[in-house]
Amino acid sequence: MSKVLTVSQLALFFMVMALASNAVAAEEATPSGKLTMESTSIAAGIGITWGDGKLNFNGKDYPFSIEGLTLVDFGISKASATGEVYNLTDSAKLAGTYVAAEAGITLAGGVGAMVLRNQDGVVIHIRSTSKGAKLQLGTSGLTIKMK
């Protein structure tokens, strides 16, 4: 039974990654920048997530903060994420509220992937790892504020 579950999870992961890759490829062939994020989430049904990140754009690093409502299980979760940013013409346009542009997935062990888009058309293709409760993007999305 566990082998069937593992194979199913891997098949689903590759399907979502293919969809996400197609969405990003349709936006722009090469990333505008790269980012890293660290976040913490505390939840009892509806949770609050906060954290910090760094955007590398045109050879410079730009710090930012993240916050957002999430629908998660009970518990405390820590997550690290890396990703590529597309359609970014100015570092200030990274700021905004992001919603899921494509389906996301979380596999056993807390590994996940998601494609996010903000109001300026900036797209983030993100891969994350988390420890603790399952971390999901909620209906309010994720807000990035430049520091």
Side-chain angles (χ1 to χ4, degrees):
M1 180 65 174
S2 67
K3 288 182 184 180
V4 172
L5 182 60
T6 301
V7 170
S8 297
Q9 288 175 335
L10 285 174
L12 183 59
F13 175 74
F14 287 118
M15 184 177 72
V16 169
M17 290 305 293
L19 289 172
S21 296
N22 287 340
V24 170
E27 296 295 329
E28 186 179 306
T30 58
S32 307
K34 296 186 182 280
L35 57 78
T36 57
M37 294 188 291
E38 298 285 331
S39 67
T40 302
S41 178
I42 298 178
I46 294 179
I48 299 175
T49 302
W50 68 93
D52 293 300
K54 180 174 52 172
L55 166 69
N56 184 280
F57 177 68
N58 289 336
K60 295 182 182 177
D61 290 335
Y62 299 90
F64 61 87
S65 63
I66 58 172
E67 12 179 281
L69 289 175
T70 56
L71 302 175
V72 297
D73 299 326
F74 291 90
I76 298 174
S77 175
K78 290 195 177 280
S80 299
T82 60
E84 294 80 31
V85 181
Y86 296 84
N87 302 333
L88 187 66
T89 56
D90 179 1
S91 62
K93 291 193 177 206
L94 182 71
T97 300
Y98 286 81
V99 295
E102 292 289 331
I105 184 171
T106 301
L107 296 176
V111 177
M114 187 174 289
V115 177
L116 305 170
R117 179 188 303 264
N118 77 1
Q119 70 279 355
D120 290 323
V122 176
V123 175
I124 299 175
H125 182 200
I126 195 163
R127 293 164 308 284
S128 65
T129 56
S130 60
K131 297 176 184 172
K134 187 167 105 177
L135 184 61
Q136 297 178 348
L137 185 67
T139 56
S140 297
L142 176 73
T143 302
I144 292 180
K145 295 178 183 175
M146 302 307 287
K147 289 186 177 181

